[in-house]
Amino acid sequence: MEITDWYLKSFDEWLRVGPINGLITIVGLFAAVLVLGGLFALLRAGPKAAVISVVWGLREALLDVARLSPRRAWAVGLLTIKESIRRKVVIVFAVFILLLLFGAWYLDPASVDPAKLYLDTVLTATCYLVLLMVLFLSTLSLPADIRSRTLHTVVTKPVRKSEIVLGRIAGFTIVGTVLLCLMGAVSYVFVLRGLMHHHQIEPADLELAEKTWSEPWEAATPRPPLRLRTTRVHGHRHFIYIEPVAKPAAEGKVRSEYPAEGSISTEMEAGHWHSFEYRFQRGPDGRARLTCTVGREEGVFQARAPVFGTLRFKDRAGKDADRGISVGEEWTYRSYIHGGTAAAAIWTFEGITEDNYPEERYPQGLPVEMTISVFRSHKGDIEKGVLGSLSVGNPRTGETVLVSMFPAKEFAVDTQFIPRKLRDKQGRMRDLFTDLADQGRLEIWLRCEDPNQYFGVAQADLYIRAHDAPFWLNFAKGYLGIWLQMLVIAAFGVMFSTFLSGPIAMLATAATLVGGMYAEEIGRVARHELYGGGPVEAFIRMVRQQNVTSEMEPGLRTTLAQMTDTALEFFLRIVAAMLPDLGKYHFADYVAHGLNVSGDMLAKCSLSVLGFLVPLFVLGYLFLKNRELP
Amino acid sequence: MAEIVIETRNLTKVYRDFWGRQKVRALNALDLDVRRGEIFGLLGPNGSGKTTTIKLLLGLLFPTSGQAMVLGRDATDVSKNQRIGYLPEESYLYRFLNAEETLDFYGRLFNMPRQLRRQRTYDLIEQVKLGWAKRRQLKEYSKGMTRRIGLAQALINDPELLLLDEPTTGLDPIGIREMKDLILDLRKQGKTILMCSHRLDDVQDVCDRIAILHQGELKELGRVDALLKVRDVTEIHATRLSTQACEEVKQVIERHGGQVLSIGNPTATLEELFVKIIRESEAHPGRRIRADQHEADESGNGHAGDAQRTA
């Protein structure tokens, strides 16, 4: 999963840039509307009438928006809700239930990460269904009113066009919200019921454990741990190891005994583990009896709230660098560090203090999680992970202390704890918070220790797992993301339907929806960030089966293609600026990967959605106001 | 002179195509005044500009040139709608709502408080005699029922000015009579009514003044009685006149140099006959027509009026 700047940037940071860009777009858009309206009037009625109509129109618009009556808007909203209900919108919910019922056949709880699969499926299915429903309802309703002339009877009452547009948007939003709440509740139960399971201990293992526990052990070597297996449920089983307690005995031997009772955890399997409580007791016949319970699954439903740091690099020679090495295709997101050299990826974290990470809450030390991508330049020992090291450093003094050496886990989250007390090369004890952190700033260094192998990292690949948010709340936030997308689509649908016929408005909104899902990509094409050039150049390459990185042959054709691309890219920039980047409001990936959707993220998304709603409402109002109803 | 409620000056509407080329001149320089308290009829064949005029007055269409003022405000000003009621050509209503919901919805658009909305809804449903079907969705309504609920929504705000587009279309004779009675009743309440129709008898029955439009131009304007008066013919209505007396009257007319065009019993209109039969049937359900009565009717002694008309 790629975590973009959108997730990483705090609300304050974004506030300095995002809204300004949005405002520039909105002002530009309205300036264009005014100029076009003025030109139209100029051509029709001459310069004096054009000025009068623009000024009068502006005055009327301001008055209409200012005198908007929430009660009348609500009347239109209520009508919209009734209309949706009587048009059997509840069918969408029935389709969703059917999808879940059939989906349950194909969702395999025995897969590698079943929680991700389940969450991804329900959130994506809900998203598509709700967006499609709102797309249909919002684009067809107003044109149907205009065609059947029911709008004539409405607009001849003292209702303002602004109230009609607002009421319509509000009505569809309420219908979608109710439906989304229902779907959310059903999905939550579906996910919980699909993934909750219960294991027993294999009867054979139980018997063996009872026998082994009774046998005394006194030998030169310590006793191996007592192994139990759980029954296979949902395609997996867990192993449980009860560690013996060793006591010195006579003749240099060790006496090992398993504890009579305890509360431990099973080994992790399929992305989760269970708590395990056991108790050995001797019966009247002298035989041992084991009573045990395997608890509920843990680690399935989580919402990690990461604290991210800023990332910089050291190159092979140990000099500062902005990025690591490119190894090709993956360069766009991750940067690579060369193993066995001075190259390192360094994250700098803020707020690393004793107050923020008290010992009571973090007894094992600072919890660090990382996902490392490994790029092997030679096969090496394929059974073993590529070796890496983690150090902590003081950003002011440059002192670094090794924390651990570890084999990199590929495609999985690796958790490491940085202890409070660390021993440096000279053997001195260093305190994490007082000696290594400088006023709360701490560096974490990652190195690849295997020569000629590479570690690939991005800023979000290493973070401090400060705490976890409640899963249900994160699940609800996932639905809030869909709600925000729905709001934008409803507003676009209503806006388009104020001046286009139903099917055309639907096409326009569908194009916005699809464009919005790929807004990021369109932006990258417009900014010339993708290989293969602009649209025309890419087309020529495709036709001529030319690869995307080699230079085009110089000549008139290439010059013409690139000039056309420059013009098209300018147009694409405008389109990208006006398209809602729906991917940003789609939190399904975060919820499915167990990452908490932060308050900052919600604030950013809500404000940017508002940035769409207001101009869409005003545009819809202007179009409807200036539309004749013959 | 009564206050002017509707005023159009040089009101012109030209329909254009997508490229701005003139398609049709639907209304040409219309000058019209409608005064408070009168029933004004717009007459004309199909495509003469009646509905265009009403839509321009309602602000549904924008004039190409000229001006339309309604209740002292520009026709495109939304606030004028607070005091007007509009019954469209066909009752364009939400078919998924029932009668109560329909009136409640339009009441809400006037920001009416709930209590008042309920009261108006109840009164109007009773007035248009739809109490028995008030919970049925409008898609189940007949054309006449839809027309009646359409009229109820036009009256929801107790308007000063009513614009009625073909108010009697789709109604049965009883409905037509009731609609006309209602229009006259509304005038008694001091309301101003502008109606357009191509049913000349309707207009003649209820309108005080009329304007006749043809091809978007005003062709005639004035009081109905004045316009229809045949100045060289005299009409006398009398009752209980014997045949001999009739002969004497005829002689007196001829003695004074006049010419008797016809003398005899007047006939009622078919509408009057129909309304009378239906009302009698409602008063005495189950009673059937007798054969001898039927024959008497055929011989001319039945429902015809008693008055003799001399012209």
Side-chain angles (χ1 to χ4, degrees), chain A residues 149-464:
Chain A
R149 298 182 180 173
T150 37
L151 200 64
H152 285 37
T153 327
V154 176
V155 296
T156 47
K157 304 284 180 275
V159 64
R160 292 170 193 279
K161 305 279 171 65
S162 50
E163 289 155 0
I164 295 176
V165 174
L166 185 67
R168 286 280 171 190
I169 296 175
F172 293 126
T173 305
I174 290 170
V175 171
T177 308
V178 171
L179 212 61
L180 210 52
C181 287
L182 286 173
M183 286 179 172
V186 172
S187 304
Y188 190 68
V189 174
F190 176 77
V191 171
L192 286 193
R193 284 190 60 86
L195 296 178
M196 274 165 69
H197 60 279
H198 191 70
H199 294 277
Q200 303 284 338
I201 299 296
E202 287 284 356
D205 283 15
L206 208 62
E207 215 170 285
L208 191 68
E210 286 169 350
K211 203 177 147 201
T212 316
W213 186 76
S214 316
E215 287 168 359
W217 180 282
E218 208 171 296
T221 54
R223 199 172 194 177
L226 183 61
R227 195 190 74 161
L228 294 163
R229 289 172 306 162
T230 64
T231 47
R232 188 174 284 276
V233 181
H234 282 183
H236 70 273
R237 67 164 86 235
H238 298 265
F239 288 97
I240 302 158
Y241 295 99
I242 301 173
E243 294 290 340
V245 181
K247 285 179 189 165
E251 295 166 23
K253 288 184 178 172
V254 177
R255 183 188 296 150
S256 297
E257 279 178 3
Y258 299 110
E261 57 186 319
S263 180
I264 54 176
S265 298
T266 68
E267 291 292 291
M268 189 184 261
E269 195 62 53
H272 70 279
W273 69 93
H274 298 256
S275 61
F276 179 70
E277 284 179 14
Y278 67 94
R279 191 173 185 189
F280 287 101
Q281 276 176 313
R282 273 188 202 284
D285 55 352
R287 284 181 61 188
R289 286 259 184 283
L290 170 60
T291 45
C292 58
T293 40
V294 183
R296 278 190 54 189
E297 61 288 305
E298 284 174 43
V300 184
F301 307 113
Q302 51 186 353
R304 291 165 282 156
V307 172
F308 291 105
T310 52
L311 177 61
R312 65 191 175 94
F313 290 89
K314 292 271 185 197
D315 66 10
R316 290 187 186 104
K319 288 182 185 160
D320 286 335
D322 286 340
R323 302 209 67 177
I325 299 165
S326 164
V327 294
E329 181 68 17
E330 300 186 27
W331 165 252
T332 47
Y333 180 59
R334 291 198 165 89
S335 253
Y336 284 75
I337 48 173
H338 195 167
T341 67
I346 306 155
W347 283 268
T348 310
F349 292 91
E350 308 272 344
I352 310 297
T353 59
E354 182 71 53
D355 292 344
N356 288 344
Y357 298 92
E359 194 156 6
E360 308 85 68
R361 266 191 73 186
Y362 304 94
Q364 290 172 279
L366 203 62
V368 171
E369 284 193 348
M370 52 190 173
T371 320
I372 297 168
S373 161
V374 177
F375 181 80
R376 289 170 188 259
S377 64
H378 60 91
K379 194 166 75 174
D381 186 351
I382 205 77
E383 292 292 317
K384 279 188 181 171
V386 173
L387 203 63
S389 72
L390 209 61
S391 313
V392 284
N394 185 320
R396 188 170 53 83
T397 61
E399 176 191 2
T400 57
V401 177
L402 181 71
V403 177
S404 65
M405 301 279 277
F406 59 89
K409 285 184 187 175
E410 291 181 58
F411 315 113
V413 177
D414 190 4
T415 308
Q416 302 266 335
F417 289 94
I418 300 174
R420 286 188 155 59
K421 302 283 179 198
L422 292 151
R423 198 173 289 279
D424 69 4
K425 279 180 194 163
Q426 287 81 38
R428 291 177 300 167
M429 287 303 283
R430 311 294 288 156
D431 185 89
L432 183 66
F433 297 114
T434 53
D435 299 327
L436 295 168
D438 174 44
Q439 293 176 331
R441 290 178 71 231
L442 180 76
E443 286 180 351
I444 296 182
W445 292 52
L446 175 78
R447 280 201 172 94
C448 178
E449 299 294 342
D450 274 350
N452 292 327
Q453 306 287 36
Y454 297 83
F455 276 175
V457 287
Q459 191 186 350
D461 282 345
L462 188 145
Y463 54 84
I464 296 170

Side-chain angles (χ1 to χ4, degrees), chain B residues 22 39 108 159 175 269 296 308:
Chain B
Q22 180 171 331
I39 303 177
R108 280 172 187 271
T269 61
Q308 286 182 314

Side-chain angles (χ1 to χ4, degrees), chain A residues 37-188:
Chain A
L39 272 177
F40 189 68
L42 187 74
L43 289 175
R44 282 218 153 169
K48 195 181 163 193
V51 172
I52 290 173
S53 73
V54 167
V55 173
W56 187 256
L58 265 176
R59 177 190 168 271
E60 287 283 293
L62 286 173
L63 280 177
D64 257 8
V65 174
R67 288 176 187 164
L68 190 143
S69 152
R71 282 179 71 183
R72 280 197 293 260
W74 171 237
V76 178
L78 206 61
L79 177 88
T80 310
I81 296 168
K82 276 184 189 161
E83 184 184 12
S84 305
I85 294 169
R86 309 242 159 112
R87 283 189 174 165
K88 312 275 188 292
V89 77
V90 76
I91 287 174
V92 178
F93 186 61
V95 169
F96 178 72
I97 298 287
L98 267 180
L99 272 182
L100 285 192
L101 289 175
F102 284 102
W105 286 356
Y106 299 102
L107 293 176
D108 184 11
S111 61
V112 181
D113 195 348
K116 181 177 167 297
L117 184 70
Y118 268 69
L119 289 169
D120 234 353
T121 307
V122 290
L123 283 163
T124 310
T126 313
C127 185
Y128 282 123
L129 268 178
V130 169
L131 291 190
L132 275 179
M133 178 202 76
V134 169
L135 171 80
F136 277 97
L137 285 180
S138 63
T139 52
L140 296 180
S141 193
L142 206 51
D145 277 9
I146 292 170
R147 202 179 55 248
S148 68
R149 298 182 180 173
T150 37
L151 200 64
H152 285 37
T153 327
V154 176
V155 296
T156 47
K157 304 284 180 275
V159 64
R160 292 170 193 279
K161 305 279 171 65
S162 50
E163 289 155 0
I164 295 176
V165 174
L166 185 67
R168 286 280 171 190
I169 296 175
F172 293 126
T173 305
I174 290 170
V175 171
T177 308
V178 171
L179 212 61
L180 210 52
C181 287
L182 286 173
M183 286 179 172
V186 172
S187 304
Y188 190 68

